[in-house]
Amino acid sequence: MGTRKKGLEFAKHITEIITKATGFERHLEKVQITGGGDGICTAEFKVGPEHLNRGGGLHGGYTATLVDMITTYALMSKPCHPGVSVDISVSYLKGAREGDDVVIEANTIRAGRTLAFIDCILKHKKDNSVIAKGSHTKYVNFE
Amino acid sequence: MGTRKKGLEFAKHITEIITKATGFERHLEKVQITGGGDGICTAEFKVGPEHLNRGGGLHGGYTATLVDMITTYALMSKPCHPGVSVDISVSYLKGAREGDDVVIEANTIRAGRTLAFIDCILKHKKDNSVIAKGSHTKYVNFE
Amino acid sequence: MGTRKKGLEFAKHITEIITKATGFERHLEKVQITGGGDGICTAEFKVGPEHLNRGGGLHGGYTATLVDMITTYALMSKPCHPGVSVDISVSYLKGAREGDDVVIEANTIRAGRTLAFIDCILKHKKDNSVIAKGSHTKYVNFE
Amino acid sequence: MGTRKKGLEFAKHITEIITKATGFERHLEKVQITGGGDGICTAEFKVGPEHLNRGGGLHGGYTATLVDMITTYALMSKPCHPGVSVDISVSYLKGAREGDDVVIEANTIRAGRTLAFIDCILKHKKDNSVIAKGSHTKYVNFE
């Protein structure tokens, strides 16, 4: 199976997971998984009113939620157990406003026997400027 | 005005902010602000189905959202501008399940002229065991 | 054995480790371990010329080294394997200059079967103002 | 001036700074700056006995010191004031032993008017496997 086809299969699989989500994960309902596989997951969404803080910018908690989830999807594409979170860190570089198109890219830097390390970046689609970057360390050892 | 009275005034003020929230902050609607003032904010909530991940545990993205918001409320009690996020880090120590009562405590370690540093801890109410701890660095210089 | 006596025994034990250190740990040679036990380690040092950055302040890399080591000593007091580092984060709140006396306190928040989470704070001895705070996540499962 | 020539000029400039260092920065004396410019700094070093922890691996405190310094050199190449540290986070993915050749790459993701965000990665030269990755947030506003 080609890389592009694998990416589409992966995107379809994750989209189904999001569609069926009942808990906090349902807040990714407007996030479109665009590709992935081999430790990577890419996604896009348009900032909506439900994603904003009081100042009218993309909410830092929603950004952190996206870092948490898109890195987890990336890890699941290894394929690998989704694991449990150990540490998440997020840096906020630039704002985003309602209507902005945001591209998300998560990349598994290392998935060891017990720990996995996945990076994530959120960028403006219009100019590739970085909105936020995050790191997620997960415990994956469930032998 | 006494400390306890000030704490109640602060709790009332933040509760009004949450009640009126229209964006992502509305996901704190079930979080009860229990006190605060002088750089501190305390809160409580019962883990509901809307806060869960697929595994039935408290979602890491919701935990990060709580760290983001409760530290911001703590900072606002200085009183101080809520500022904008620079860096958030969260460590996940222990799980929480639906029905668990969770206590949140945020404490401003330093609010300087340009940057503020606020810590946050989420604990099980039943035994004070730590669920998560977080740090939030905010930029507050808007002279 | 009383808590104070246990603290002195622990301080003596760690001091011997530092004295015999041959690698990078020898840069703690002027750090005095003042107490500890049950997941805690306290220490003190006077900022010397060898700890400075070009600007004449306490070097951020030395601060990070202290966070790394004093949290590890705290963990060793459980007693527990020193473990291996997973994630370290440090926030820099305030400067320190040559001659300043600095107090360091590390506290194990949780030492589970596989992961341990230890916090650390560096304070000015003169006024308890916080110079830096750090978090260290270690992998400790060597069954 | 060509990119390669600019890189060599930059490497020479930073090498002079390290050579003249009197404080904690002198521990980079064996680190060879290999290039840089436009927000980037690359370097190499061979792990020596002075960089080790008791277990014979590359010391986490030295790794954090390298993240701190190489990101600062990257920022200085913008050109830009070196700034002061706000937050540093380091993830430790893989060990390194004495004699291993390590490549370091730092990249300025954003240098704004008041804050700069620089990433850093340490890799084994032999196979490009990641030893550690770090993020450094600096305050750069000294108008």
Side-chain angles (χ1 to χ4, degrees):
Chain A
M1 188 161 58
T3 302
R4 191 178 133 74
K5 192 164 175 199
K6 255 174 59 181
L8 291 176
E9 287 289 326
F10 170 75
K12 197 179 156 194
H13 171 59
I14 299 295
T15 303
E16 276 170 12
I17 287 176
I18 295 173
T19 306
K20 290 177 187 161
T22 55
F24 202 67
E25 196 172 4
R26 74 194 151 84
H27 299 303
L28 272 75
E29 62 189 343
K30 290 190 184 165
V31 175
Q32 192 187 346
I33 305 298
T34 51
D38 295 323
I40 287 173
C41 179
T42 56
E44 280 189 36
F45 78 108
K46 191 183 281 295
V47 179
E50 71 273 32
H51 306 136
L52 301 181
N53 58 32
R54 257 169 299 139
L58 179 61
H59 196 290
Y62 189 60
T63 300
T65 299
L66 291 170
V67 168
D68 179 355
M69 294 313 301
I70 306 300
T71 55
T72 298
Y73 301 149
L75 182 61
M76 287 165 65
S77 80
K78 290 293 287 179
C80 182
H81 191 285
V84 295
S85 292
V86 176
D87 291 302
I88 286 182
S89 64
V90 183
S91 296
Y92 298 86
L93 284 72
K94 203 175 182 178
R97 316 294 295 184
E98 194 177 340
D100 285 352
D101 289 305
V102 177
V103 171
I104 315 172
E105 295 169 2
N107 182 23
T108 306
I109 308 300
R110 178 172 158 86
R113 202 174 50 82
T114 52
L115 292 165
F117 300 83
I118 319 109
D119 278 356
C120 188
I121 204 160
L122 279 78
K123 298 189 289 187
H124 281 289
K125 191 174 185 177
K126 62 184 170 206
D127 62 4
N128 278 320
S129 60
V130 180
I131 297 164
K133 60 193 182 72
S135 293
H136 194 180
T137 304
K138 303 201 86 169
Y139 182 68
V140 291
N141 182 19
F142 298 97
E143 304 171 79
Chain B
M1 186 162 60
T3 302
R4 190 177 134 73
K5 191 163 175 200
K6 255 173 59 182
L8 291 177
E9 287 289 326
F10 170 74
K12 198 179 155 194
H13 171 59
I14 300 295
T15 302
E16 276 170 11
I17 287 176
I18 296 174
T19 305
K20 289 177 189 161
T22 55
F24 203 65
E25 195 172 4
R26 75 194 150 85
H27 299 303
L28 272 75
E29 62 189 344
K30 290 189 182 166
V31 175
Q32 192 186 346
I33 305 298
T34 52
D38 294 323
I40 286 173
C41 179
T42 57
E44 279 189 37
F45 78 108
K46 191 184 282 293
V47 179
E50 72 273 31
H51 306 134
L52 301 181
N53 57 33
R54 261 168 295 140
L58 178 61
H59 196 289
Y62 190 59
T63 300
T65 300
L66 291 170
V67 167
D68 178 356
M69 294 312 302
I70 307 299
T71 54
T72 298
Y73 300 149
L75 182 61
M76 287 165 65
S77 81
K78 289 293 289 182
C80 183
H81 191 284
V84 295
S85 292
V86 175
D87 292 301
I88 286 183
S89 65
V90 183
S91 296
Y92 298 86
L93 286 71
K94 204 176 182 176
R97 316 293 295 185
E98 193 177 341
D100 285 351
D101 289 306
V102 177
V103 171
I104 315 172
E105 293 169 4
N107 183 22
T108 306
I109 308 300
R110 177 170 158 86
R113 200 174 51 82
T114 52
L115 292 164
F117 300 83
I118 318 110
D119 278 356
C120 187
I121 203 160
L122 279 79
K123 299 189 291 187
H124 281 290
K125 192 174 185 179
K126 61 185 172 206
D127 63 4
N128 278 321
S129 60
V130 178
I131 297 165
K133 61 194 181 69
S135 292
H136 194 179
T137 303
K138 302 201 88 169
Y139 182 69
V140 292
N141 182 19
F142 298 98
E143 303 172 79
Chain C
M1 187 161 59
T3 302
R4 190 177 135 73
K5 192 165 175 199
K6 256 173 58 182
L8 290 177
E9 287 289 327
F10 170 75
K12 198 181 155 192
H13 171 58
I14 299 296
T15 302
E16 275 170 13
I17 287 175
I18 296 174
T19 305
K20 290 177 187 159
T22 55
F24 202 67
E25 195 173 5
R26 77 195 148 84
H27 299 304
L28 273 74
E29 62 188 345
K30 289 191 182 165
V31 176
Q32 192 186 345
I33 306 298
T34 52
D38 295 324
I40 286 172
C41 178
T42 56
E44 278 188 39
F45 79 108
K46 189 183 284 292
V47 178
E50 71 273 31
H51 307 136
L52 300 181
N53 56 33
R54 257 168 300 140
L58 179 60
H59 195 289
Y62 190 60
T63 300
T65 300
L66 291 170
V67 167
D68 179 355
M69 293 313 302
I70 306 300
T71 54
T72 298
Y73 300 149
L75 183 61
M76 287 165 65
S77 81
K78 289 294 286 182
C80 183
H81 191 285
V84 294
S85 292
V86 176
D87 291 302
I88 286 184
S89 65
V90 183
S91 296
Y92 298 86
L93 284 74
K94 204 176 181 176
R97 315 294 295 185
E98 194 177 340
D100 285 351
D101 289 305
V102 177
V103 171
I104 315 171
E105 294 169 3
N107 183 23
T108 307
I109 308 301
R110 178 171 158 85
R113 202 174 50 82
T114 52
L115 291 165
F117 299 84
I118 319 109
D119 277 357
C120 187
I121 203 161
L122 278 79
K123 298 189 290 189
H124 281 290
K125 192 174 185 178
K126 61 186 172 205
D127 62 4
N128 279 320
S129 61
V130 179
I131 297 164
K133 60 194 184 71
S135 293
H136 194 180
T137 304
K138 301 201 88 171
Y139 182 68
V140 292
N141 182 19
F142 297 98
E143 304 172 79
Chain D
M1 189 160 59
T3 302
R4 191 178 134 73
K5 191 163 176 200
K6 254 172 62 182
L8 291 176
E9 288 289 325
F10 171 74
K12 197 181 156 193
H13 171 59
I14 300 295
T15 303
E16 276 171 10
I17 287 176
I18 296 174
T19 306
K20 290 178 187 159
T22 55
F24 202 66
E25 195 173 4
R26 76 193 150 85
H27 300 303
L28 272 75
E29 61 188 344
K30 291 190 182 165
V31 176
Q32 193 187 344
I33 305 298
T34 51
D38 294 323
I40 286 174
C41 178
T42 57
E44 279 189 36
F45 78 108
K46 191 183 283 293
V47 179
E50 71 272 31
H51 307 135
L52 302 180
N53 57 32
R54 260 168 297 140
L58 179 60
H59 196 290
Y62 190 59
T63 300
T65 299
L66 291 169
V67 167
D68 178 355
M69 293 314 301
I70 306 301
T71 54
T72 298
Y73 300 148
L75 182 61
M76 285 164 66
S77 80
K78 290 293 286 180
C80 182
H81 191 285
V84 295
S85 292
V86 175
D87 292 301
I88 285 182
S89 65
V90 184
S91 296
Y92 297 87
L93 285 72
K94 204 175 182 177
R97 317 293 296 184
E98 194 177 338
D100 285 352
D101 288 306
V102 177
V103 171
I104 315 171
E105 295 169 3
N107 184 22
T108 306
I109 308 300
R110 178 171 157 85
R113 201 174 49 84
T114 53
L115 291 165
F117 300 83
I118 319 110
D119 278 357
C120 187
I121 203 161
L122 279 79
K123 298 189 289 189
H124 281 288
K125 191 174 185 179
K126 61 184 171 207
D127 62 4
N128 278 321
S129 61
V130 179
I131 297 165
K133 60 193 182 72
S135 293
H136 194 180
T137 304
K138 302 202 87 170
Y139 181 68
V140 291
N141 181 19
F142 298 97
E143 303 172 81

